[in-house]
Every structure is written in structure tokens, then in C-alpha cells.
Amino acid sequence: MTVRLTMLCATTAEDGLGRVFGDGAVSERRRRELAAMTATLPPYAVALRGPSARCAQTAEALAVAAVPEPELRDLDHGTWNGRTPEDIAAVDPYGLSVWLTDPDAAPHGGESVRELCRRTAAWLDGLPAGTGRVLVITELSVIRAALVHALSVPVRSFRHLQIPPGSAVTLTLSDGRWSTRFDRITVPRHRTSADGVPTVAVPTTPTTRQRVCLTGRP
């Protein structure tokens, strides 16, 4: 039997400076984008989500009735929860540097990257053979951990796994082996009439088979 997981990343706001470790609310702009993407979601029999508010709000915006799954929770950032990387760098630059380079480090007193990868791998390996198609709304960290397991790459590759914006990572288990694919989940475009007035929304779901990008950046 085949297991096929389509994993969507729950995001809070725009990427970049000011992001905060831990949970957060999905921005209004992102909610509107997600609502427009509902019609382009791939078919699924079951929907699961991480237990965070971010995952719950993402599922709500997508109009998906997803069941909370504790094992899909984000990396535990310990004492860093609610703080920005810039804040940590100002008070504990060594701790942040070690955490970014050593998968066994947990200077925040929470969970190490290796522990997250083990937790995620155990969840993947425990999925029943007849699970079928599953839509998974979860954290970027969990998707990276799932890719580490599916691709059988070293845990040190965790931070180098880049998830393209607007993409869903599909993991397929068949004959005991995992394969991976990126599927673009795009916001519907609008046709425009000759006088420049938008008329009909056109959902688009181009599928792209891409190799996972391993960059040299931490």
C-alpha cells in the first residue's frame, strides 16, 4: 500500500527580520492568499495539522478540517520562545552560533535538531500502510526533518534544505522507500477584460519535479 503525504508549511507573516521563535498568528495578507489557494489543493482523504495556533489558522484559512497531531509540533525553542534571532544574537551570540551549526546543540534548553528529526522520523515510520493520501499542515522545521528522513541525508543538512515559497512537499512511501517532490500551490490568477476589469478567477496548480536544494548557507 502507498502512503502519500502532501506537506504544507504554516507561516505567520513575511519572512525576514523580526520573526519570532515559537508560535504566532497568521498575517491577514497570508490568510487572504491561503483562502485563494483552497481550490488548488491536491486531493486527500485525511487532513492533519500541527497543534500550534499558526497551523490551526492556516487550516481555517484553507477551509480544511484538519485533525491536530502532537507529533507535528514545531521544534521546542525552550527559553528562546517569543524572542527574535536578533535578540538572541545580541545576548548570546555563541549559543545562537552553536545552535545553527550543531544539530545536537540545545542552548535554549528545549529540543535539539537531531531530537526533532528522530521524533519526525518515528512518526513517519509509524504511519499505517493503508494511510493513503494525507494533507499535512505543519511547521517548516517538521517538513525539513521529514525530508532528512525521506532523503536519508545527514542531520547536518537540516538547515540547508530550502522549501521554495508557495510549494507543497509531497512524500510518497512505496515498497518501503520514500520519494519526494515539490508541487507548486499557487494563488489563482484573474483574467482581465479589454477595459482592464478583472473577471474570472483561474486556479492554477502547475506541478514541478524539483531536486531538493542543498545550499551552503546555515
Side-chain angles (χ1 to χ4, degrees):
M1 299 290 288
T2 299
V3 176
R4 181 167 297 158
L5 308 178
T6 298
M7 307 188 81
L8 300 180
C9 181
T11 57
T12 53
E14 322 307 326
D15 294 331
L17 296 176
R19 67 186 182 89
V20 176
F21 288 120
D23 201 0
V26 175
S27 69
E28 286 303 317
R29 175 182 174 182
R30 182 58 176 161
R31 283 173 182 265
R32 291 193 297 270
E33 291 175 347
L34 290 167
M37 290 162 54
T38 301
T40 72
L41 291 175
Y44 60 90
V46 178
L48 302 174
R49 66 168 175 83
S52 68
R54 172 171 50 228
C55 288
Q57 291 169 10
T58 298
E60 180 184 12
L62 287 168
V64 171
V67 178
E69 170 52 64
E71 295 305 306
L72 295 174
R73 65 188 182 277
D74 196 7
L75 175 76
D76 179 4
H77 293 94
T79 59
W80 291 359
N81 271 320
R83 303 170 67 183
T84 67
E86 292 73 31
D87 176 29
I88 303 301
V91 297
D92 187 11
Y94 176 76
L96 182 62
S97 177
V98 170
W99 181 69
L100 288 171
T101 55
D102 182 357
D104 293 302
H108 42 55
E111 191 175 27
S112 71
V113 167
R114 190 178 302 277
E115 288 171 335
L116 167 66
C117 289
R118 286 173 178 165
R119 163 164 55 91
T120 305
W123 179 76
L124 288 170
D125 289 342
L127 290 171
T131 299
R133 294 176 179 267
V134 183
L135 179 65
V136 179
I137 299 170
T138 187
E139 316 288 346
L140 173 60
S141 64
V142 175
I143 297 177
R144 283 176 167 171
L147 285 171
V148 165
H149 181 63
L151 296 170
S152 298
V153 296
V155 178
R156 286 187 178 276
S157 302
F158 175 87
R159 298 192 188 283
H160 305 313
L161 294 168
Q162 303 299 311
I163 312 301
S167 64
V169 176
T170 298
L171 304 183
T172 303
L173 178 64
S174 182
D175 297 326
R177 302 187 66 175
W178 288 100
S179 61
T180 65
R181 188 182 72 190
F182 284 126
D183 295 307
R184 296 286 296 175
I185 307 294
T186 61
V187 177
R189 295 174 297 183
H190 289 80
R191 291 177 181 154
T192 304
S193 62
D195 58 4
V197 178
T199 54
V200 181
V202 183
T204 58
T205 53
T207 298
T208 58
R209 292 181 179 271
Q210 302 178 0
R211 295 183 178 180
V212 174
C213 177
L214 293 173
T215 73
R217 294 179 296 176

